[in-house]
Amino acid sequence: VVGILDYGLAKVADLKIKYVISPAVSYGSPITFVEELNPGPEKMSEAILRMVPSVDDKIENVDGKTIYSGIIQVVKFIHKRICLQNGSWVRCFGRLTWPRISELIISNFLSKVVPEDASKLADFQKIIDHTSEFEAALKEMMFISASDNKDARLSNFAENVEVHFASRKKTEILAKARNLLLQCDFAVPQESTGKDPICKNDGMAVDSSEHVVDLLFMSERCVVTKAASQLMKLVHQILQDICLSSTRVAFEFYHAARDAILLYEAIVPVKLERQLEGINQVAVLMHNDCLYLSQEILGFAFEYHSDFPSSIKEHAVFADMAPRFHLMAEEILQRQIQIVIFNLREALDGADGFQNTHQIQQFESAKFSIEQVVFILEKVHIIWEPLLLPSTYNRSMCTVLESVFSRITRDILLLDDMAAEETLQLQRLIHLMLENLSSLLESLAAVNQKGKTEGDFARPLDDLIPSLCKFRKLAELLDMPLRSITAAWESGELLSCGFTLSEIEDFIKAIFADSTLRKECLWRIENVPL
């Protein structure tokens, strides 16, 4: 009957898998098989294979021996009682059932006993031995092929346990990295919101928070998010494990380290998309995070590469990732600067080009615009100064101030007619703004002076904000006599402040009525060799 059925045995095989094999390989539920022979008429007997729950419920399939012996009993019964020890029939039955049997064993047993720690890999050898013996017994009964390596699925899996271990660890690492990035609220640490959270006057560190980190190649410290610091701790642990691992495990861990870092790039910008659209501490912290990650990535080669397994040293490279995070940091910073400049421009638009400020309503409107600008700049100062590196803060704030001073100076110089009272009101507005920004400018000068002593950004503040000198000089020009303006141009003073010939000429024409003196002064200005 078996010979006639041939592959019609498929239904029988399905039932065997469902009702016999599947319960037998259920991890933690040991089952034993008992064969019974019932004598029948005319020397015929009936063979019955009974499934019996294990007498000892405490038996665990730790090494697979119980599972393997039960399946061998089932296969022996099929081999002897159903296929009558006919090799071709047994092989046919094996081809129908072995792929699913092996998959059940892998998913229900072998994959669940893969060690969770590298130190326990050696203990897995007993399971490898039992697995090899199990497959050898099946080959002897011709249930699986003795020559086709594809049938040795269980041995291949067990012998590659290092890879499975590393694969599981990689999955766990990435899940942990993903969770900490998703769960972090990116709040500013309370101890890091003060004026100087990093150093005392004597240079000693006062903040031992895990969020204040060293930048390896910049000799500076900065505040980062909990997500970035914990992510980097996780990556450092992976790299330490690489140094102690075999080649196959090390390769998996190497890719896990890279992927964990790249998760920051994939998750955080999307998570913080709304915050990045405004002026806030979160955007500044993300800039710091990216800068910190880029520095740490560059340091991996110096800290770990020499201890990596020799076979992966050539391939385990991280330096290619550093520029992308450095670029992300700069893009976030530039985006913040542009948002600030946009808000400042909107505020200055309310001044309507500083026209007719001798009229009360126009003056009040211009004054309100100046107050808005000061408010925005103070807000930016409060957000940026405690978190950005001093050099970055200095450069960024100077860029923002340059946009303000240049815009106001340009608007005033574009006025084609100014009454005497109007010039005084404009001068008053300039003085008001400089007075309100005095503390901010002093703090920038202090940061700049500190940079000089440390050999960093040693340029004068007027060089960093070119329009500042021009802005201050414009306040003087607004009530300066015509001859004095002419003399200032001839001496080169106005030129050194950034004024152009056409600007001075138009300024004189806007303030002073046409006269012989004006013509003389304009002629003198035009004929000054530049």
Side-chain angles (χ1 to χ4, degrees):
V1 173
V2 172
I4 295 171
L5 283 175
D6 195 23
Y7 280 93
L9 281 171
K11 186 173 182 180
V12 178
D14 285 340
L15 294 172
K16 287 285 188 291
I17 294 291
K18 183 176 181 180
Y19 293 107
V20 181
I21 302 298
S22 195
V25 298
S26 293
Y27 186 62
S29 303
I31 290 175
T32 56
F33 293 91
V34 178
E35 183 177 337
E36 297 178 357
L37 283 176
N38 297 329
E42 300 179 4
K43 299 183 179 180
M44 294 291 288
S45 61
E46 181 182 59
I48 299 174
L49 186 67
R50 296 192 182 278
M51 295 172 60
V52 183
S54 175
V55 177
D56 187 357
D57 292 335
K58 295 182 180 180
I59 293 178
E60 294 184 0
N61 298 318
V62 176
D63 56 8
K65 194 171 183 180
T66 305
I67 290 175
Y68 292 150
S69 62
I71 294 175
I72 286 174
Q73 275 187 281
V74 174
V75 174
K76 280 182 176 179
F77 183 83
I78 293 169
H79 175 263
K80 183 177 180 181
R81 302 298 182 186
I82 297 178
C83 295
L84 308 177
Q85 301 182 13
N86 184 308
S88 61
W89 297 350
V90 174
R91 187 72 194 95
C92 176
F93 202 88
R95 279 194 291 267
L96 289 168
T97 56
W98 179 240
R100 285 176 288 173
I101 292 175
S102 58
E103 183 59 38
L104 282 169
I105 294 173
I106 290 171
S107 60
N108 287 291
F109 170 61
L110 289 178
S111 64
K112 293 184 178 181
V113 293
V114 172
E116 295 184 359
D117 192 286
S119 62
K120 297 180 180 179
L121 284 172
D123 298 336
F124 196 77
Q125 186 58 47
K126 186 181 291 185
I127 294 175
I128 295 176
D129 294 340
H130 288 315
T131 302
S132 298
E133 293 169 2
F134 171 62
E135 287 185 337
L138 296 181
K139 289 175 183 178
E140 187 178 337
M141 290 184 284
M142 301 181 69
F143 190 76
I144 62 175
S145 172
S147 58
D148 189 352
N149 191 51
K150 289 181 181 179
D151 278 356
R153 300 182 185 194
L154 303 184
S155 295
N156 292 336
F157 183 94
E159 289 168 3
N160 288 326
V161 67
E162 281 188 335
V163 175
H164 305 310
F165 162 75
S167 180
R168 173 191 281 185
K169 291 296 289 184
K170 179 182 177 180
T171 302
E172 291 174 359
I173 289 166
L174 294 181
K176 185 175 181 179
R178 181 177 179 274
N179 287 338
L180 70 88
L181 290 172
L182 287 173
Q183 293 170 9
C184 179
D185 59 5
F186 287 83
V188 181
Q190 290 299 314
E191 63 271 25
S192 301
T193 55
K195 183 100 174 177
D196 188 0
I198 297 175
C199 294
K200 292 181 180 177
N201 292 332
D202 60 2
M204 296 298 291
V206 297
D207 185 1
S208 60
S209 167
E210 63 178 349
H211 305 299
V212 180
V213 296
D214 293 302
L215 299 178
L216 298 180
F217 300 96
M218 297 181 72
S219 301
E220 292 184 272
R221 308 184 77 201
C222 73
V223 181
V224 298
T225 64
K226 182 179 179 181
S229 63
Q230 288 191 345
L231 177 65
M232 203 42 59
K233 283 182 181 179
L234 177 63
V235 172
H236 277 288
Q237 184 59 55
I238 300 169
L239 297 178
Q240 291 167 14
D241 290 342
I242 290 176
C243 298
L244 304 173
S245 300
S246 64
T247 299
R248 291 191 293 183
V249 174
F251 258 122
E252 287 293 322
F253 282 176
Y254 160 65
H255 289 294
R258 284 184 65 96
D259 291 347
I261 295 170
L262 291 175
L263 278 175
Y264 187 97
E265 182 184 21
I267 292 174
V268 177
V270 177
K271 179 181 178 181
L272 303 180
E273 184 176 7
R274 183 173 297 177
Q275 288 93 322
L276 293 176
E277 295 293 336
I279 306 168
N280 52 63
Q281 292 173 322
V282 170
V284 180
L285 282 173
M286 187 177 167
H287 161 271
N288 287 358
D289 281 359
C290 293
L291 190 62
Y292 167 60
L293 292 176
S294 71
Q295 295 275 299
E296 288 291 306
I297 290 167
L298 286 174
F300 291 162
F302 300 95
E303 191 171 355
Y304 298 106
H305 197 266
S306 60
D307 296 324
F308 281 177
S310 56
S311 54
I312 77 162
K313 283 183 179 180
E314 184 180 346
H315 306 285
V317 178
F318 291 93
D320 62 300
M321 300 171 68
R324 67 198 296 168
F325 280 96
H326 188 82
L327 182 62
M328 274 180 65
E330 191 60 29
E331 286 176 347
I332 293 166
L333 179 63
Q334 291 305 318
R335 187 176 179 183
Q336 280 287 289
I337 291 172
Q338 291 307 312
I339 291 171
V340 173
I341 290 175
F342 176 80
N343 289 347
L344 291 169
R345 285 175 180 168
E346 278 197 327
L348 289 172
D349 286 343
D352 194 24
F354 295 92
Q355 300 180 78
N356 303 316
T357 50
H358 58 291
Q359 299 174 9
I360 295 177
Q361 186 175 355
Q362 287 297 106
F363 176 78
E364 291 298 328
S365 178
K367 182 183 175 184
F368 180 70
S369 292
I370 293 293
E371 290 170 348
Q372 276 190 305
V373 166
V374 172
F375 175 78
I376 293 169
L377 290 172
E378 285 295 339
K379 175 185 175 183
V380 172
H381 164 72
I382 291 169
I383 292 172
W384 284 3
E385 189 191 29
L387 300 178
L388 287 175
L389 297 177
S391 56
T392 305
Y393 165 74
N394 207 58
R395 170 168 56 91
S396 304
M397 186 57 78
C398 286
T399 300
V400 168
L401 287 170
E402 170 63 19
S403 73
V404 172
F405 292 135
S406 62
R407 164 70 185 272
I408 298 175
T409 303
R410 188 187 72 230
D411 283 355
I412 293 175
L413 289 175
L414 284 174
L415 295 174
D416 56 7
D417 185 24
M418 286 182 271
E421 186 182 349
E422 192 174 354
T423 60
L424 294 176
Q425 293 291 58
L426 288 170
Q427 186 184 57
R428 182 182 168 190
L429 289 171
I430 293 175
H431 286 159
L432 175 66
M433 183 166 188
L434 288 172
E435 182 182 346
N436 288 335
L437 292 179
S438 59
S439 61
L440 175 59
L441 293 172
E442 286 171 8
S443 71
L444 282 172
V447 172
N448 194 48
Q449 187 61 37
K450 184 179 179 182
K452 289 182 183 180
T453 61
E454 294 175 356
D456 295 332
F457 37 95
R459 296 169 61 194
L461 194 58
D462 283 351
D463 285 355
L464 296 171
I465 313 174
S467 293
L468 177 57
C469 177
K470 188 175 181 180
F471 188 68
R472 285 171 171 156
K473 197 65 183 176
L474 178 59
E476 296 178 22
L477 291 176
L478 285 166
D479 68 350
M480 191 180 288
L482 180 53
R483 290 185 186 277
S484 299
I485 295 174
T486 305
W489 178 261
E490 289 175 327
S491 68
E493 181 184 355
L494 297 182
L495 188 64
S496 66
C497 289
F499 288 94
T500 64
L501 174 62
S502 61
E503 285 175 340
I504 295 300
E505 288 179 330
D506 292 340
F507 181 77
I508 290 173
K509 291 175 183 178
I511 293 180
F512 300 99
D514 189 14
S515 65
T516 303
L517 178 61
R518 193 180 87 167
K519 290 177 181 177
E520 177 192 339
C521 289
L522 287 173
W523 181 86
R524 285 168 57 185
I525 289 172
E526 288 173 2
N527 288 279
V528 172
L530 299 177

